[in-house]
Amino acid sequence: AGTLKVSVDSNLNTLDPAKMKGGQEYVAAYLIFNGLTIISHDMTVKPDLAERWERSDDLKTWTFYLRKGVKFHNGRELEAEDVVATIARIQDKATGSTARVNFEIVESMKALDPLTVQFQLKSPYAGFAELFGERQARIVPRDAVDTLASKPVGTGPFEFVSFAPGDRIVLKRNPAYFEPGLPKLDEVIVRILPESAAQVAALTTGELDLVWNLPLEAIDKVKADPKLKVDSVPTSTWDGVIMNNAVKPFDDPRVRKAVAMALDKQAITQIALFGNGTPTHSPIPPSHPYYNKDLKIAKGDPAGAKKLLAEAGYPNGFEVTLHTPAGRATRERLGLAVRELLKPAGITVNVQRVPFDVFLKDIEGKAGFYIDGFFSRPTIDTSVYPWYHSRGSWNTALWSYSNPKMDTLLDGARQAKSEDEAKSLYTQIQALAVEDSPGVIPYVINHINGMSAKVHGFHSHPMMFLDLRNVSVD
Amino acid sequence: MLAYTLTRLVYLALVLAVMSVLVFLVTQAMPGDVASMIAGQFASKEVVDAISVKLGLDQPLIVQYGRWAAGILQGDLGRSLVLEQPIAPILMEALARSLVLAVVALVVVAVVGIALGVLAAVQRGKLADQLVSGVSYLGIALPDFFWAILLVLVFGSWLKLLPTGGYTPIAEGFLPWASHLVLPVVTLVLMLLARIARLTRSSMIDVLQTNYVKFARAKGMPESVVILRHALKNALLPTITVLAIDFGLILGGVVVIETIFSYPGMGRLLLFAIQRHDLPLIQATILIVSAAYCLANLTADLLYAFVNPKIRHGMRAS
Amino acid sequence: MPPVTLPEPAPLLDVRGLTISYGNARGTLRAASDVSFAIRPGEVMGLVGESGSGKSTIAMAILDLLGGGGRVESGEILFDGTDLRKLPPSGRRALRGDRIAAVFQDPFTSLNPALTVGRQIAEPLIQHKGFSPRQAAVRVEELLAEVGIRDPRRVAAAYPHELSGGMQQRALIATALGCEPKLLILDEPTTALDVTVEARIIELLAKLCDSHKLSALFVSHNLGIVNRICETVTVLYGGVVVETGRTGRVLSRPAHPYAKGLVAALPRITADRRHRLPSIPGTVAKLTGAPAACVFAPRCPFAEETCRSQPQAMLTNGDGSEDGVRCWKAGALAGTPWPDEEAGVSRRPTARTPTATHSAPLVEVDHLRKIYGASRSILPWLRRAGTVAVDDVSFTIGRGEVVGVVGESGSGKSTIGRALLALTEPTAGAVLFDGADLTEQVKSGNQDLRRRAQLVFQNSAASLNPRKTVGAAMDRPLVLAGREDAEERRKTVAGLLTRVGLPAAYADRYPHELSGGERQRVNIARALATDPDFVVCDEAVSALDVSVQANILNLLAELRDEMGLSYLFITHDIAVVSHIADRVLVVYGGTICEEGPIGRVLRPPYHPYTEALLSAVPRLAGDGPEAPRILLEDAVAAPGGRGCAFAARCPRKLGAVCDEQSPPVHETADGHRIACHIPLATLAERAAVFPELAGADATPG
Amino acid sequence: MARLPDLPVSLVVGILLLAPLVVAAVAGSWLAPYPYDEMNIMSRLQPPGADFWFGTDEFGRDVFSRTLVGTGSSLVMGVAATALSLLAGVPLGLVAGYKGGRVGEAIMRAMDVLMSFPPILLGILVLAVTPPAQWKAIAAIGIVYVPQVVRLTRAITLELMQEEFITAARLRGESAAYILFHEILPNIWPPLAVEASLRVVFAILLGAALSFIGMGAQPPSSDWGLMISEARPFVEQAPWIALCPGFALATAVIGINLLGDGLRALLDPRNTGAH
Ligand SMILES: Nc1ncnc2c1ncn2[C@@H]1O[C@H](COP(=O)(O)OP(=O)(O)OP(=O)(O)O)[C@@H](O)[C@H]1O
Ligand SMILES: Nc1ncnc2c1ncn2[C@@H]1O[C@H](COP(=O)(O)OP(=O)(O)OP(=O)(O)O)[C@@H](O)[C@H]1O
Ligand SMILES: [Mg+2]
Ligand SMILES: [Mg+2]
């Protein structure tokens, strides 16, 4: 019981899940809505609105059976048609949902009866059920889509009360929530507090109960306070040093390799994250069972990098501009770290900060050299495939990497019938990613929440979801 | 007075009209565009185009402007593209919060600043004057954001006395509401106090040298009457003007202070709009902010005219 | 003297050995040294002296209102037997406004613009007499009525800016009278006012002092006014009292050389026209310490060695009269007048004097009209008719002729002058200069004609660029005239400076390094540098002290005589005009109400306004009997109506005809014109204001 | 004409405060003990000490060196922006004041429009059009202050136009250009100099504010405003990162203010010789 006051660090643009793009929005998405499935704390997929599901042997026909008696906040019962409408809306280009690519694989869908929905896929896909754990794929009532942005209606544990842009979102307990006894809280107030100092101060004075995604600088301070506690979990959210493989000088794999060689990932993790992350090779985090332990984490070898550069025709190095999105502190620090670490290798990096909107429009996918970052994906396939497959959505728009061998491996992994097969394929994929270095992924970030000792039952989610169903405050 | 007011209003309308065109053009010239903002990372061109069509962004500029201006004249500020909500209520809410900040800060500044200015003028050259001058130098010496940071550090982090950010509606109780205002108000006061105190001091010194003050003394009026009734009334004229302009400035959004204290006013709304490239929101915010600023300036001039019997009657006469 | 010597009443105010200095960062200045005088109950004492002699300083010291680092060093100020200096500040404040009241020079700035007049008058009543605001309001109206305000209730509710200068000064006097003070301190209470208004105020003050048995300290530099209302007078020079005595005696038979000079330098209507005014050379002394010699010695024509080495003591008759003089030669000089180099020598008539007027005039003004501030805005509420500053004025100026323009403030004098110089564009009518339309010429970019017409300003300080040396300012006209040789130009500048009586070395000085009189000479020299034919002198001597004024008037007269210049001489002082002008225009409300040769204008028939102007001229004891004064109402009529501009204030107004029809112009002999509805014969019946002039100027000047 | 003992105290103190800053602005990079952008991950967030006089920031960069090198950026921002506003504003103001009529009216109305934006808003608007860079911030601040300069110049010009020495110049047939440049301009610059010196303060502060919100100088530059902005998350652990540039900023502002006050006193006509 009680009210939980939680802070996020940036304003929410929208409460319409299909259009959500930032972590703080996903916070709202998981409080108000549900998906057909859910990615649980152990990163496995579990039933949510769908009680169970079936897949055909060719992995192309998927049938989901909805839970009975689930009600939207407006009192109407959830029906299969809502699911169809939700996905159709995501597929509509005019909606502009980032999840659209995920569902391009869907050839057709159909509500077989009010509680059953069936999807026909264009190609076999083992991870289809996980896609419904994706943030944008929240199921929305088909008759209230137009007001979702300002007055969202979902099936989630909390009902929307009010949203004051720039200030707060107020949610109250959904008494008709389908999981019995949940949620425990009466009310959730999500406050928008961009200043990390203000967040921490509010946490110490008891004005906040929980700081979602605690700023890295503040961790030590919160840890030191006996009235507060810190909860942390490794994620597969990563930042990357993006090299456009189609642009000189990064079209030469030796140059890319040299850059990767010169970057000391341990040092970068220290600089950018104050150590609150783990060096890795690809979006696959070291905590993942498929992680390739045999590969070595780069220790920073400027001499070797220099040699490689000389081979590639840059004996005196070269000068390049590195773009970083303004206002993303870790990525800015990562940029500066790259600049320092590449200096001994003879590469002169000019760091340029770009406002985020300009970054999206003019830098991402267009510039030759920049820092970018991506949230955890619900499945290992969605975490890897789009970046490394030559037809992968992010790949074509990011670094234009292409290696047929990689494509074969990724396609194979999608249809892997067993864990072992998948593991072996992904181990090879990681090795190839390091060998070709389309870009450098130095680390995955830990997701950390700071909270008052009064808060019980909260566990940080590796997907950075804010799961408050079991939480209570004294 | 009426003629003057009418003239000023006509001017204001003209200025706002020109400004609306300017704002519209400048925002159009901004890099990046809404459709790709909405479409997000790596959206294909078709997606962007589809969104453009849906939002009417493919229309010629004049058509877009006409639609927008016509809407504003009818009190419709448009819909925020990013928030997907009508702008007016959001803006009004932010404006109301900025108003609260402005009024409270201004009252404090006026009372304290004028008192200090008068004290310094009366004690000209003495210790009190030097103290006031010194303190006011300190006030202007440091930028507002630096004061803000220091205040957060001292009152929020060390003393843990006051909330360092955010805003609580007064409906949740007076104390929480007031406590959230303290630090931003103090920062604003530190910024504005010096100017008001110095201005009051210098105009007070001028007025104290006038013949009518001398004559009031020659009538044997006690010094308190001379200062409060005879001198202050006249010395306040320039101060009133500056106070009103300051009011406009605060209303117009103290971007930095609102950012540091996470105060959800006009300034942060504007910054948010710019960062998200929400054109209608940017346009509406700038227009309202500028209109508020112009109105405050107008009020300043009218107030000045009204407080000053010379102008008040001069205008009635002509 | 009464036959029985009654015991002298104790003085109400007895100032003894008062020494006052101002100290600031640049050193100390002694503004008053060992000043002593006494004012008996019911007596009005005048305190005269030129600018900077310390008059105001003494007045303020009595009120304990010395500002800006002023300090009384020593001496006693006995009021009713108590030394004010020994009282605590609160004690002095209690006296101020109650038993010692004051009126200052400038009514326009002495009233608080933010408070109603009534409230300001009531303040001392409430403060000192414990009146309730309601009682005070009643008393305020009585007081206003007493100072001659006909509409006390309205005036009490008005703000100062809604009142004319005369009314404001009356309000200040009412304030001073409120608590029935014993002593009134008046610091030049009429200097800022027009002559006709001044005359009324002086009249009022004289009456009030009489009826209330008031004593007063009357500070003034106007000897005529002092003569009018003061029983005794104290002459101040450089912070030192040089002479004191009964007014009649001091002004008719001054004993101290400075007083002699002061009296002699005054231009008088009754004096022989065109004579050279005696003047006092040099500038006023600035004292930095106790005087070690006679303060006046550097400028005294009678000075001897002893004067320069020994301080002077006050000499009294010892017969109990108030007379005293601070000059050891006073006895010896008793009969000697102030020396005048050209006394008795009439000016030699020059080649181009009056005869020249018969040839084509130099300047022709034809139906000139000027309206300020009219606007034709698209916003209906902004359309304005504007102020008519000059309304249908026509006159001519001959070559070598001096035309005077007199009239009260706002009557359009300056506007006429500016129109003549093409500095302002006429709304209607034309100005021909030497046959050509000056405005057209200037508009078309031809500046040659304009250079032949120059201007000498009132404010000598503002008319020189503070960042240019005198030489540089005078060099430019020469450069523009195409004189290329710098050395030659330098010589010309030196010559011009010498011409106006300044050392050539002044070319290197900056304006702020000159005195007011010197600056005015530089202005004249600069005007001469373009080699003009015509000069407009707009109040060119009004801001100067009498002795300096005499200097400059002499210089202007000399230049006219030697170079054949024509002047338009604008002034509000009819005595000055009578001294220098050949012809005079009397303007009122933007129209010419009388025009003619000076000799004619000063004698009847007069326009009623001219008559009032003349009767308001204060005169000294020796100038003959006082004529009955014609006192005008304060109200200033807005010019530009249909009828006679002066109708509203005219004491001889005939009736509706004056308001509704513009007056006909009567012409007597010699181009003397009067615009008035009253028949000429009736006008001619009036007694002369200056009967002694009646036969004097029989031959037209 | 400047006699040393007569210089106003505030002027002297102002110069004394500013002198080291000017030296730092010119020679900061030579004087700095470390390169301003040299990171040293081993010694990050070090408190002030013998090695790092004002401590280090979160990248292990020497705060003292950064502040020193940042002097140039911060001062240049203020001075250049002010110079820009003077350069554009003075001629406009002169013309508006001297010409009057339609031209003058047009200029003033244009300024009215510019002035109806609150300064920082105008700055943001200008900067929002293109990716931020320091020179753009300078241009933006310059534009923000043009109307004030125009207004002041015009007001003084109008006042001077009433002066009789201008009338005298017109009477002797001077051209408009001569009157503007030889009669009016010399009388305008003293009040303008005072104004400009105070303007520099506003410009520096506004520049710092723009850098603070990320629209001015760009990292890794060590502009003071930017330094303070970047130090925000660390104020509590490492207050020196913010305090050092903060006090440098304060010194500059106080110094320039004093200089302005001193100039005002020095140029006050009531202070020039006898009067
Ligand atoms: N506040 C002051 N500080 C320094 N010197 C002053 C001050 N007030 C007056 N003086 C000087 O003291 C002398 C006497 O001044 P005061 O005003 O008494 O002269 P005044 O006779 O009243 O002259 P005026 O006729 O011009 O009013 C002058 O030289 C003047 O410059
Ligand atoms: N530039 C102007 N704009 C508007 N009105 C003006 C202007 N100059 C003069 N006036 C008005 O025109 C009338 C005549 O003014 P003018 O200066 O010619 O009078 P004056 O006789 O010289 O007065 P004074 O003796 O006070 O110098 C006055 O009512 C004045 O207020
Ligand atoms: Mg005086
Ligand atoms: Mg005049």
Side-chain angles (χ1 to χ4, degrees), chain B residues 7 211 217 219 229-230 234, chain C residues 96 109 112 120 123 128:
Chain B
T7 314
N211 273 330
R217 289 192 172 130
K219 290 193 291 195
R229 188 186 303 161
H230 286 267
N234 290 288
Chain C
R96 269 203 310 265
T109 58
N112 191 331
Q120 299 189 55
E123 272 186 339
H128 299 298

Side-chain angles (χ1 to χ4, degrees), chain C residues 595-685:
Chain C
E595 167 188 7
I598 184 74
R600 290 282 173 215
V601 173
L602 296 179
R603 281 182 291 151
Y606 303 120
H607 186 280
Y609 178 59
T610 316
E611 190 180 6
L613 270 185
L614 285 171
S615 87
V617 172
R619 44 189 102 187
L620 297 195
D623 292 350
E626 294 261 336
R629 273 152 203 277
I630 296 163
L631 298 175
L632 298 180
E633 296 297 327
D634 284 347
V636 184
R642 279 190 296 138
C644 172
F646 187 53
R649 294 173 73 198
C650 185
R652 305 180 64 188
K653 183 173 166 186
L654 293 176
V657 63
C658 295
D659 288 326
E660 285 159 13
Q661 286 173 30
S662 57
V665 177
H666 311 296
E667 181 145 8
T668 70
D670 319 314
H672 182 201
R673 291 187 202 84
I674 299 172
C676 187
H677 286 292
I678 303 172
L680 196 61
T682 320
L683 288 173
E685 279 164 14

Side-chain angles (χ1 to χ4, degrees), chain A residues 162-170 189-192, chain B residues 166-169 172:
Chain A
S162 69
F163 174 31
D167 182 22
R168 64 184 61 203
I169 297 171
V170 180
I189 296 174
V190 182
R191 294 206 23 210
I192 298 149
Chain B
Y167 170 86
T168 308
E172 290 181 24

Side-chain angles (χ1 to χ4, degrees), chain D residues 33-77:
Chain D
Y34 300 90
Y36 77 101
D37 55 353
E38 184 178 272
M39 297 189 205
N40 184 348
I41 230 61
M42 299 323 291
S43 48
R44 57 157 74 177
L45 299 176
Q46 294 281 310
D51 283 346
F52 305 101
W53 299 345
F54 290 108
T56 60
D57 66 7
E58 80 270 30
F59 295 111
R61 299 177 296 194
D62 179 35
V63 173
F64 175 68
S65 302
R66 288 179 62 71
T67 308
L68 208 60
V69 174
T71 316
S73 161
S74 301
L75 292 191
V76 160
M77 196 106 128

